[in-house]
Amino acid sequence: MLEAIIKIGLLIGGLMTAAAYFVLLERRMAAWTQDRIGPNRVGIPLTNIRLWGLGQPLADGLKFIFKEEYTPAHVDRRLYILAPLAIVATALAIYAVIPFGSLIPPFHIGPLRSDQPIELTVAPGVDVGLIFVFALASIAVYGVILGGWASNSKYSFLGGLRSSAQLIAYELPMGLGLLGVVLASGTMNLTEIIKSQAQQGWFALLQPLGFVVFVVASFAEAARLPFDLPEAEQELIGGYHTEYSGMKLILYLIAEFLHMITASFLIVILFLGGWHLPLITGDPNAETIGWFTAIARILVLQAKVVLVILFFMWVRWSWPRFRYDQLMNLAWKIMLPLGLVNLVALAILFEARQVNDPDRLSTNWALLVFAGSWLTFFVAWLLTGIINPLVADNRPQAVGQASSLP
């Protein structure tokens, strides 16, 4: 019980702090992209020590805390308050099954003592971890829909409608992208998926088409540019949270960054080997490990996650927003067929290998599966570009013409 409470406290505190400082990091990256300086003045309060702007998240948090808690008179009050709570609760609950490292060796530090290794997961040993994650991710859309509906505003309502259509559309290719991971590893336990990659190789290399489909769908699920149509400031002011302010608004903003962090963790765990790094992180099947290996695994996992988050931010400040018809075309005409092709091709390859090499000891069959996956990747993208090219014409369309775009 004490172990679970400590894990939950560290988890929530770490995630809240990470979300605050990733906002600062994104503002600095935006400044770098746009050839600006960015926030660099706020440091230790009541002093002239700036610390490169590291006090900015604290100042922003205090600003939101002391803002007036205003609730517009025209909203559905109960749903209006429930919506941001629902989206933050689901965004945090997902981390119950996401590992933040591997194991901590037995230790004795003052009153704290453990005679057994401790798994760095709040709820270790959940064999349906993937289902748990994506079930809660699906529930999160209700926080957006409730916020748009309860605000009783056309801008908020349109943002909620856009979000529901977008998240449902991209959940399908995302699911198809990760089914290849389940086929290859034979498990839905996230820790076991990492161990499987340590033995077979990272799934980003073994399943490149599934990796690309999953990453694109993750961008859309996190509603990050170029997929931020639910908020689209130029069109909807603030989208589904237009009518929110103060602490209720900051809950939405925290949830947005938590979704990005969650997507980064899943990309790293499912496709980039998790905490595994050859020659550094040791035997993945060892029941006990030393402190050096334990710390190395934690650092490797966190470093990979930070690099993926930096990629999210780089894309946000480099790509323009899609039109809505382009967004839907990409989901239904590009990502969904590619996800199906990836799943069918991998199923054929893995079944053929299971029949001819049940113990998975043959190097020739391993190379055949690897070559087949990359051949599927190139052929699928080539045929997709020929049969159904993306719409790149962003010139203004006359009324009635937009629906005729391929």
Side-chain angles (χ1 to χ4, degrees):
M1 185 66 178
L2 177 61
E3 176 187 327
I5 293 174
I6 292 174
K7 287 180 179 179
I8 292 171
L10 293 174
L11 174 69
I12 294 177
L15 287 174
M16 294 297 104
T17 304
Y21 276 91
F22 277 131
V23 172
L24 176 62
L25 177 61
E26 181 154 30
R27 293 176 66 181
R28 296 299 292 267
M29 178 163 283
W32 170 74
T33 305
Q34 299 166 355
D35 199 20
R36 299 185 285 109
I37 296 177
N40 66 343
R41 292 181 176 273
V42 181
I44 300 177
L46 305 179
T47 71
N48 291 323
I49 303 175
R50 294 182 178 177
L51 292 178
W52 307 283
L54 294 179
Q56 188 67 51
L58 177 63
D60 291 339
L62 290 175
K63 177 186 70 174
F64 278 104
I65 290 172
F66 287 107
K67 271 192 172 183
E68 179 184 4
E69 278 297 315
Y70 176 73
T71 301
H74 60 272
V75 304
D76 185 325
R77 185 177 180 85
R78 286 176 296 180
L79 296 180
Y80 179 82
I81 295 174
L82 176 63
L85 296 177
I87 195 170
V88 168
T90 55
L92 288 173
I94 288 175
Y95 286 89
V97 298
I98 293 180
F100 285 81
S102 177
L103 301 170
I104 290 182
F107 63 89
H108 185 189
I109 304 176
L112 299 177
R113 177 174 180 172
S114 175
D115 297 325
Q116 300 294 330
I118 297 176
E119 290 191 44
L120 294 179
T121 310
V122 174
V126 178
D127 292 330
V128 290
L130 272 181
I131 295 178
F132 179 84
V133 167
F134 285 92
L136 287 179
S138 300
I139 294 174
V141 69
Y142 289 106
V144 175
I145 296 174
L146 284 176
W149 173 264
S151 296
N152 198 18
S153 161
K154 291 183 176 64
Y155 292 117
S156 300
F157 185 62
L158 285 174
L161 286 178
R162 282 185 173 187
S163 179
S164 59
Q166 175 175 322
L167 297 182
I168 291 172
Y170 281 91
E171 275 181 359
L172 297 175
M174 175 180 280
L176 292 171
L178 67 88
L179 281 178
V181 172
V182 177
L183 282 175
S185 60
T187 180
M188 294 187 185
N189 185 307
L190 296 177
T191 300
E192 294 301 320
I193 289 175
I194 295 174
K195 293 180 180 179
S196 178
Q197 292 180 84
Q199 296 169 349
Q200 301 182 46
W202 295 0
F203 291 149
L205 300 176
L206 300 178
Q207 305 178 22
L209 185 57
F211 174 63
V212 172
V213 169
F214 189 86
V215 168
V216 173
S218 297
F219 270 88
E221 288 289 305
R224 303 277 299 179
L225 267 170
F227 298 95
D228 70 333
L229 273 297
E231 300 176 31
E233 293 87 351
Q234 294 87 343
E235 305 167 18
L236 302 177
I237 303 179
Y240 56 87
H241 55 61
T242 298
E243 301 293 333
Y244 284 87
S245 63
M247 286 302 296
K248 291 187 285 293
L249 174 61
I250 201 173
L251 290 179
Y252 267 122
L253 301 180
I254 289 173
E256 176 184 332
F257 267 84
L258 288 179
H259 289 155
M260 179 183 67
I261 297 172
T262 303
S264 301
F265 265 103
L266 291 177
I267 289 170
V268 169
I269 290 171
L270 297 177
F271 290 96
L272 298 178
W275 42 256
H276 174 253
L277 193 65
L279 305 178
I280 294 179
T281 52
D283 181 7
N285 294 315
E287 295 183 359
T288 58
I289 57 176
W291 278 103
F292 174 81
T293 303
I295 295 173
R297 290 181 178 182
I298 295 172
L299 294 178
V300 166
L301 177 61
Q302 305 307 321
K304 290 180 181 179
V305 170
V306 170
L307 289 176
V308 174
I309 290 174
L310 289 174
F311 177 69
F312 267 89
M313 295 177 179
W314 174 64
V315 170
R316 174 178 180 175
W317 296 103
S318 302
W319 284 52
R321 180 183 296 121
F322 289 127
R323 281 201 322 261
Y324 198 72
D325 60 306
Q326 294 173 332
L327 179 85
M328 290 292 107
N329 281 340
L330 181 63
W332 296 105
K333 297 182 179 181
I334 306 295
M335 292 294 109
L336 185 60
L338 289 178
L340 287 170
V341 168
N342 175 69
L343 178 60
V344 172
L346 289 176
I348 294 172
L349 290 170
F350 288 139
E351 180 63 22
R353 184 178 184 183
Q354 182 65 27
V355 171
N356 295 278
D357 182 28
D359 296 326
R360 297 190 177 187
L361 299 176
S362 172
T363 304
N364 292 335
W365 270 102
L367 292 175
L368 181 62
V369 172
F370 178 79
S373 298
W374 278 95
L375 180 63
T376 303
F377 172 76
F378 287 116
V379 171
W381 276 99
L382 178 62
L383 292 179
T384 300
I386 294 173
I387 297 172
N388 190 18
L390 286 174
V391 178
D393 186 358
N394 288 318
R395 292 174 294 181
Q397 302 290 325
V399 176
Q401 289 185 0
S403 61
S404 65
L405 292 171

